[in-house]
Amino acid sequence: QVQLVESGGGLVQPGGSLRLSCGASGSGFTFNAMGWYRQTSGDQRELVASITKGGTIGYGDSVKGRFTISRDNAKTTIYLQMNSLQPEDTAVYYCKVAAISPNLVWDEYWGQGTQVTVSS
């Protein structure tokens, strides 16, 4: 089975920065696209940023120019550098990975979520 371990959330003042990380593991699995999504109470999850195995990156419109996604060389960990944070960035941030199992079944997996709160 795939496990995703997220870290780096917390409380920050407006204009501040945080860095989230998400590590994926799973014996025999191949990890493809990974990304960050966020959700506030009552809303749908929205894309924050994604990165494919080949390095193609995409961002949600509301974070372009402020957030940066990156991936380690082993392609099992992603990071989200969040700068110029604003109160509207407050949400639970979830990591997602697309993975292929040892028996070649494709599926998507979600992390448990990490809270980011931007407040003075």
Side-chain angles (χ1 to χ4, degrees):
Q1 193 54 278
V2 171
Q3 289 188 324
L4 295 173
V5 178
E6 301 157 336
S7 63
L11 172 65
V12 64
Q13 292 186 340
S17 299
L18 282 175
R19 188 187 194 219
L20 305 182
S21 65
C22 172
S25 62
S27 180
F29 280 80
T30 300
F31 303 115
N32 293 316
M34 297 182 72
W36 290 97
Y37 292 71
R38 66 187 182 187
Q39 185 174 25
T40 55
S41 178
D43 291 338
Q44 290 185 329
R45 283 183 193 182
E46 65 169 353
L47 171 70
V48 176
S50 64
I51 183 167
T52 68
K53 192 174 183 180
T56 300
I57 289 173
Y59 293 100
D61 288 341
S62 62
V63 306
K64 286 179 181 176
R66 300 187 297 124
F67 292 10
T68 303
I69 191 170
S70 60
R71 193 166 185 169
D72 72 337
N73 289 336
K75 304 188 190 304
T76 60
T77 300
I78 58 170
Y79 306 93
L80 185 68
Q81 179 65 42
M82 305 186 292
N83 298 329
S84 301
L85 283 161
Q86 299 302 318
E88 51 266 34
D89 295 314
T90 295
V92 179
Y93 284 69
Y94 295 91
C95 176
K96 187 179 83 169
V97 63
I100 300 174
S101 71
N103 58 346
L104 304 181
V105 175
W106 179 92
D107 207 343
E108 293 182 328
Y109 301 86
W110 291 90
Q112 79 282 1
T114 185
Q115 177 70 46
V116 171
T117 302
V118 185
S119 175
S120 56

